[in-house]
Amino acid sequence: MKRWSLGLAALLLSQGALAAAPAAKSAPKGAPAPKGAPVKLVTVGPAVTETVFALGMGEAVVGVDDTSLALPVARGRPKVGYQRALASEPLVALGATALLASEEAGPPGVLEQLRSAGMDVVILSNKPTLDEARNRVRVLARKLGRESQGEALVADLEKQLQDAAARAAKGKQNKPVRILALYARGANALMVAGKQTPTDELIRLSGGVNAVTEYSGHQPLTAEGVIVAAPDIILVPDGTLTALGGEAALRDVPGLSQVKGWKTTTVEDVHFMSLGPNLGKAVQRIQDGMGLPARDAK
C-alpha cells in the first residue's frame, strides 16, 4: 500500500528569467544567490514538476514534494515533504535558488521565510482547467527562459486535443458514456471525483460525461452513489488498480458489485492528480477505454 498511497493521499490535501547560467561559487547559506549562480529549483505540485521537466529543466531540480513522486522522472530527487507543510531549512540546505509551487504550497510563514532568505518564490494556480494548464506552461517557460520550448509544448497539447475532439465526434453516440472516476485515498477508502476536479476536465475533453454532477471536489464512494451514477466506465489511476488487486477486486467493492455492465480504464496517477502538459495523452487513453475509433478510421 505504501508505494501508491503517499502521492495519492496528498491529492486532497513573475522577476527575471531563471535560465541556467555559468557556474559560480555558492552564496552563503540563507543569502541571495549571486548573479550568474547556477539555477537550483525545488518544485512543488505534480503539474509544476511535470512542466519543469517537460521544459528540459529537470537537471536543475534539486528537490520535489511528495505529490511529485507520482512522476517517475522525479523519484530520484530529494524529497522536501508534503506540499502544505513545507519547512524552510531543508529547502535552504539544498541551495535552492527558486521555489516553483502550486497554490497549495505552504504554510504562508515558510514561504515568507524563503523570500526573506533571497529565494525566488513563484506560486502558480492549480485550477483544474485546460486554460490554466496552458497558462501554467507559459508562465513557467517565461520564468525559466524556455519560451520556445513552452510554445512547443502548448502546440503539441493543442494537436493532441484536436485529434481527441475529432475522435470524439466520429464516435459520438446517442447515449453519452458515463464515467465514474475513483481513486484510493488510503486502505479501504475509495474517493469519487465530482465536478471541478482534474478528472472531470479530462472526461469532458474525452467526449464522455462525469457520472457525478451533484457535488464538486471529492467525496467517499458509497453503494448508493454508484447506483445513482450508473457508470459505463470506472476510471481509476494505475496505482489504485494495482493496490486493490486488479479489476476483479474492484468488482467486489460494495456498490460497484451491484451495478453491472461497466468496464475499467486507467490513467497514470499524475494525470488523475493534476493537469500537466501531457494531459492530452490521458484524454487519448480514456478514449481508448471508451472504445472510440481512431481519428483516421474509415
Side-chain angles (χ1 to χ4, degrees):
M1 290 290 183
K2 290 183 179 178
R3 65 180 181 274
W4 57 269
S5 62
L6 181 61
L8 289 173
L11 175 64
L12 302 179
L13 291 163
S14 272
Q15 308 133 333
L18 292 172
K25 293 182 179 180
S26 299
K29 187 179 293 187
K35 187 175 181 179
V39 174
K40 294 184 179 181
L41 308 173
V42 170
T43 60
V44 172
V48 174
T49 300
E50 184 180 16
T51 302
V52 170
F53 275 85
L55 289 169
M57 291 293 290
E59 290 300 317
V61 176
V62 297
V64 298
D65 75 305
D66 291 347
T67 65
S68 296
L69 298 178
L71 290 158
V73 292
R75 291 175 189 161
R77 300 298 191 271
K79 296 181 290 185
V80 298
Y82 174 45
Q83 57 185 352
R84 296 183 188 270
L86 301 175
S88 57
E89 292 84 357
L91 276 70
V92 173
L94 287 170
T97 57
L99 171 68
L100 309 178
S102 64
E103 58 193 346
E104 294 88 349
V110 168
L111 301 183
E112 285 306 313
Q113 290 173 1
L114 295 173
R115 292 186 180 101
S116 296
M119 193 177 298
D120 194 4
V121 177
V122 181
I123 305 299
L124 300 108
S125 170
N126 199 34
K127 187 176 180 180
T129 66
L130 173 59
D131 286 344
E132 200 56 59
R134 292 192 196 100
N135 183 61
R136 184 166 45 244
V137 171
R138 288 178 167 134
V139 170
L140 285 169
R142 287 196 301 269
K143 195 69 184 171
L144 297 169
R146 297 283 176 126
E147 290 91 345
S148 60
Q149 292 90 337
E151 289 307 313
L153 280 179
V154 172
D156 188 48
L157 173 59
E158 298 295 350
K159 175 62 166 59
Q160 291 174 15
L161 294 179
Q162 288 171 6
D163 289 348
R167 190 178 180 187
K170 186 180 288 290
K172 192 171 184 178
Q173 303 174 3
N174 293 329
K175 181 177 178 291
V177 178
R178 296 176 62 81
I179 302 176
L180 183 66
L182 308 175
Y183 79 97
R185 188 177 183 183
N188 303 314
L190 284 173
M191 304 292 290
V192 181
K195 298 182 297 182
Q196 298 178 17
T197 59
T199 41
D200 185 53
E201 185 78 335
L202 294 178
I203 291 168
R204 181 187 70 80
L205 292 168
S206 73
V209 297
N210 193 337
V212 173
T213 59
E214 294 79 20
Y215 55 83
S216 299
H218 301 83
Q219 291 192 11
L221 176 72
T222 66
E224 295 81 3
V226 178
I227 294 170
V228 171
D232 301 304
I233 289 176
I234 305 299
L235 175 65
V236 294
D238 290 323
T240 288
L241 192 61
T242 299
L244 290 174
E247 184 173 332
L250 190 62
R251 291 189 179 277
D252 290 334
V253 172
L256 297 179
S257 62
Q258 297 169 252
V259 177
K260 307 302 179 183
W262 55 265
K263 59 181 180 179
T264 304
T265 193
T266 64
V267 292
E268 293 180 31
D269 291 25
V270 69
H271 293 145
F272 208 95
M273 298 166 67
S274 63
L275 298 178
N278 294 312
L279 70 89
K281 296 178 182 178
V283 170
Q284 292 172 355
R285 190 162 163 182
I286 293 171
Q287 291 185 318
D288 289 343
M290 294 167 65
L292 295 183
R295 184 186 178 191
D296 58 355
K298 303 296 184 183

